[in-house]
Amino acid sequence: MADLVERHGPIDTSPADDEFERLCVSIINQQLSTASAAAVRDRVFALLDDVTPETVLAADRDALREAGLSRTKVEYVRNAAEAFVERDLTREGLADHTDEEVVEELTRIKGVGEWTARMYLMFVLGRDDVLPLGDLGIRNGIRQIYGDGEELTREEMRAIAERWRPYRSHAMRYVWAEYEADG
């Protein structure tokens, strides 16, 4: 890990400014390459102008589809918007929740799975000790850095990451940086 920190320097770990917008980013990113997700996100956000639960709910579904969202993802971002209107899913609203309680709360939203909830813990709530092994980039990065490209089980990855506790979220950002630099 020390080599990664030296190679990549300081990595910004500040929580996202806008909780709802960042949740939308995670939903858009689901099962897409980084480049494809960025293109779709840019078109959707340009369409909405201001990414809020209200603008998502007011947006024409066909326009969202034309911007690049699948029919399913249109429903998922709308579900997230409705959840934000009905419940306090902000940093303040979830401040006293454990990581697992946050995951449970967010996965009540159809379209938000454990991966998306863990991204929310890291990138929105700024939780320090999240290990998102549901992320393919993280798994590939750990395999590349610590397994010489050989297959590693999730249990082996958890064991490798144990030494980074209670700052696994920060270590994961370095694993991503390394994986993306080599990818």
Side-chain angles (χ1 to χ4, degrees):
M1 186 55 62
D3 289 341
L4 296 179
V5 172
E6 184 176 319
R7 193 164 30 258
H8 296 284
I11 292 180
D12 182 17
T13 58
S14 304
D17 291 333
D18 185 290
E19 295 101 325
F20 176 71
E21 183 176 301
R22 186 57 181 89
L23 182 59
C24 288
V25 168
S26 289
I27 291 170
I28 292 168
N29 287 353
Q30 292 171 359
Q31 301 178 355
L32 291 179
S33 71
T34 302
S36 295
V40 171
R41 180 183 62 242
D42 289 348
R43 288 191 306 268
V44 169
F45 285 13
L47 172 72
L48 296 172
D49 189 40
D50 187 24
V51 183
T52 67
E54 294 75 21
T55 60
V56 166
L57 293 172
D60 180 73
R61 291 170 196 250
D62 289 334
L64 289 169
R65 295 242 323 112
E66 288 169 18
L69 290 180
S70 66
R71 188 174 318 283
T72 302
K73 284 192 182 178
V74 168
E75 292 311 310
Y76 290 174
V77 295
R78 290 180 56 81
N79 293 344
E82 289 170 357
F84 260 77
V85 168
E86 295 168 4
R87 306 192 308 264
D88 187 358
L89 300 175
T90 64
R91 271 184 282 285
E92 295 77 22
L94 297 172
D96 63 342
H97 289 59
T98 67
D99 289 355
E100 292 313 311
E101 289 169 339
V102 170
V103 169
E104 186 177 310
E105 182 69 26
L106 291 174
T107 56
R108 288 177 42 206
I109 304 167
K110 185 174 181 181
V112 175
E114 188 169 327
W115 176 86
T116 304
R118 296 217 178 274
M119 295 301 103
Y120 198 82
L121 284 167
M122 285 180 65
F123 294 108
V124 174
L125 302 183
R127 301 286 173 97
D128 289 324
D129 196 35
V130 179
L131 181 63
L133 291 180
D135 186 88
L136 181 62
I138 288 294
R139 290 193 314 273
N140 286 339
I142 292 173
R143 182 178 305 119
Q144 167 189 315
I145 298 162
Y146 295 95
D148 294 323
E150 297 296 318
E151 282 297 316
L152 296 171
T153 67
R154 289 189 189 206
E155 197 52 46
E156 289 169 320
M157 291 179 192
R158 279 187 199 87
I160 290 166
E162 191 59 32
R163 66 188 113 176
W164 305 324
R165 193 181 284 275
Y167 300 106
R168 293 181 296 180
S169 297
H170 302 281
M172 294 303 94
R173 291 179 189 246
Y174 282 98
V175 169
W176 265 315
E178 183 71 6
Y179 178 68
E180 289 176 355
D182 286 349

